[in-house]
Amino acid sequence: MKRSAFWKDRSVFITGHTGFKGSWLSLWLTLLGARVSGYAWDREEHALFTLTGGEQEVKTTWGDVRNRHRLDAALREAEPEVVFHLAAQPLVRTSYQIPADTFEVNVMGTVNLLEAVCSSVDSGSRIKAVVNITTDKCYDNLEWIWGYRETDRLGGYDPYSASKACSELVTQAYRTSFFHPERYAEHGVGIATARAGNVIGGGDDSPDRLVPDCLKAFAAGRRPLLRSPAATRPWQHVLEPLGGYLLLAEKLVAEGAEYASAWNFGPEEESVHSVEKVAAKLAALWGDGAGINLDPAGSSALHEAGELQLDSTKAHRLLGWYSCWSVEQALQKTVEWQKALEAKQDMRKICEQQIREYMTDEIRRAK
C-alpha cells in the first residue's frame, strides 16, 4: 500500500523500457499506478513488452540513445519526476563482436541521458531522481571469493564490462559537477547508480545467456552445452533488483542527498552458484528428461569472469532491501513462466501474478 501510494500518478521515464528488465519494470510501475513513458531502439524485438501489454499502456518514443537531440526531446515531453536509465548493449559476448558500438551506446548513451537531464532541470523540470542501471561486472574483477563493495575499484576486462565501468564514472562526474549532494537544496535532484547480479526470469530471450539457452534447448528436446560450467554468479530473479531500483528511487525523491551514490543489489551468499549447478537445477525443474552437457574444453574461448559476487550490505542497512526469493524459487518462477507461454496462456496475467506474489513476499520479508 505504501509503495502504491508513492507511485500512483507519478510520471516516470525509462530508457530501454522494451527490454527484459525494462518490460518487467514498466509493467510493475503501471500496476502501481504510475504514468510511464519510454525511449527505446525500434530495431529490437520487443516480445516481452508486447506480451505484457506495454504497447498499449506506455507512451513510447522510438529512438537511439546515441541521438542526443531526440532523447532530449522525449525526456522533455514526458516531464518525469523519476528517470530510470536501462538502455544499453547488455551482452558480454556481443561486446567482443561490436566493441565500438558497445562503448557508444553504453557510455555516450549515459552522457546523452544526463545531458538531457541537465537541460531539463535548467528549464525548470520536475525531475527529482535519476537511477542509472549498470552491472555487477563494472568492478575490476580480481576473482575474489568475497563480494565486491561499492567502494571497490571499477574496471572491466571485456568491452561490455569496461563500458559499464565508464558509465559509472560518467554518472559520478555529472553528479559531482552538476548535482552534488551538498548542493541538493539548490538543484533538488538525486542521481544514483545500481549494480545488480545475474538476473533470470520469464521473457529473457537474449542470446548466449545460460537460462534462455537452456530453456530453448529443453523445449526443443536438446541438451544445452555449458561453455563455462565452473563459473559462479550471484543469481537472482529479475524482480529482486527491480524492487531495489524502485526503493532507491523512492528514497532519492524523499531524501536525494543521502542516497545519491552507487548501490549493489545482489542476492545472499547462498544464491551464488556455479553455471553447472544452476543448469542442473533448471533441467530438474523442467522435467521431461531434460539434461545438460559440459563443454569438453571446460571454458569459453572468450574471457568471461570466473568468480563474481556482490556485497549488498549498504542496501540492507540503508535501504532495508533484501532478496526475497532463493535461486530455487527464481528458477521455478522462470520455468512456470516458460511453460505458461508454451501453453498460450495470458502472459500479462502471469507476469502480474508473479509481481504480486513478489510484493507479498517483500512484505513478509520486511516483518
Side-chain angles (χ1 to χ4, degrees):
M1 290 297 294
K2 184 178 179 182
R3 170 164 282 172
S4 297
F6 176 88
W7 289 103
K8 184 173 175 56
D9 295 324
R10 198 173 294 272
S11 179
V12 181
F13 183 80
I14 307 174
T15 68
H17 67 296
T18 62
F20 172 46
K21 273 188 177 181
S23 295
W24 279 98
L25 180 59
S26 296
L27 177 58
W28 196 342
L29 284 166
T30 299
L31 290 177
L32 293 172
R35 294 181 287 109
V36 183
S37 299
Y39 185 92
W41 196 25
D42 62 353
R43 297 182 185 179
E44 298 175 349
E45 294 184 4
H46 315 290
L48 180 58
F49 186 64
T50 301
L51 286 170
T52 54
E55 293 176 340
Q56 288 73 46
E57 295 188 331
V58 178
K59 183 178 180 180
T60 298
T61 299
W62 301 110
D64 194 319
V65 289
R66 290 171 288 188
N67 187 330
R68 182 182 302 175
H69 298 296
R70 185 163 180 77
L71 178 57
D72 180 87
L75 182 68
R76 287 175 181 269
E77 183 179 356
E79 297 184 334
E81 288 187 67
V82 178
V83 177
F84 292 101
H85 180 47
L86 283 78
Q89 192 296 96
L91 302 173
V92 171
R93 291 172 69 82
T94 299
S95 76
Y96 283 108
Q97 301 164 8
I98 51 169
D101 285 347
T102 298
F103 280 104
E104 288 174 2
V105 171
N106 294 355
V107 183
M108 290 310 300
T110 302
V111 170
N112 291 341
L113 185 278
L114 293 174
E115 278 289 305
V117 169
C118 286
S119 177
S120 186
V121 170
D122 288 344
S123 300
S125 77
R126 300 185 302 161
I127 295 175
K128 297 296 182 184
V130 179
V131 181
N132 177 21
I133 313 305
T134 61
T135 177
D136 57 350
K137 297 175 182 63
C138 68
Y139 292 105
D140 183 16
N141 193 343
L142 303 178
E143 302 290 342
W144 287 337
I145 59 173
W146 53 84
Y148 290 90
R149 296 179 177 179
E150 290 86 349
T151 53
D152 284 328
R153 188 171 65 185
L154 300 174
Y157 184 104
D158 57 88
Y160 167 75
S161 301
S163 72
K164 284 298 190 175
C166 290
S167 180
E168 286 277 350
L169 293 172
V170 165
T171 306
Q172 178 182 312
Y174 272 79
R175 180 172 55 234
T176 55
S177 298
F178 308 111
F179 301 104
H180 200 289
E182 292 181 1
R183 299 192 298 275
Y184 182 73
E186 301 173 20
H187 53 73
V189 181
I191 297 183
T193 56
R195 307 159 181 176
N198 270 40
V199 295
I200 58 179
D204 182 7
D205 57 1
S206 300
D208 291 323
R209 281 172 58 83
L210 177 66
V211 173
D213 286 352
C214 284
L215 293 179
K216 291 173 186 175
F218 298 158
R222 295 184 288 102
R223 287 176 169 251
L225 181 65
L226 306 187
R227 62 177 182 264
S228 300
T232 64
R233 294 290 185 273
W235 308 93
Q236 58 189 157
H237 193 274
V238 63
L239 294 178
E240 300 276 22
L242 293 185
Y245 305 161
L246 292 175
L247 181 57
L248 176 57
E250 293 165 18
K251 294 292 189 180
L252 285 170
V253 170
E255 307 171 63
E258 184 177 350
Y259 296 92
S261 57
W263 299 83
N264 285 342
F265 294 102
E268 307 305 315
E269 187 173 354
E270 56 266 26
S271 290
V272 178
H273 293 311
S274 70
V275 166
E276 181 179 0
K277 187 173 183 179
V278 167
K281 287 177 180 287
L282 196 62
L285 288 168
W286 185 268
D288 298 328
I292 58 176
N293 289 328
L294 306 185
D295 187 341
S299 64
S300 169
L302 299 175
H303 177 273
E304 293 181 276
E307 301 280 347
L308 187 56
Q309 185 176 342
L310 291 177
D311 183 329
S312 300
T313 302
K314 180 181 175 181
H316 298 337
R317 293 183 177 179
L318 301 183
L319 293 176
W321 175 88
Y322 289 88
S323 295
C324 294
W325 288 349
S326 65
V327 171
E328 289 76 13
Q329 287 175 294
L331 292 171
Q332 179 67 52
K333 297 296 183 185
T334 305
V335 170
E336 289 175 359
W337 193 98
Q338 191 65 32
K339 296 277 191 176
L341 178 66
E342 293 190 357
K344 301 186 184 304
Q345 295 184 31
D346 185 333
M347 299 314 296
R348 164 72 179 236
K349 289 183 179 179
I350 297 297
C351 290
E352 286 183 0
Q353 178 183 339
Q354 292 194 351
I355 290 172
R356 291 194 175 97
E357 289 173 355
Y358 183 81
M359 286 194 291
T360 299
D361 289 342
E362 272 189 312
I363 295 171
R364 290 173 180 164
R365 177 68 178 82
K367 294 178 180 180

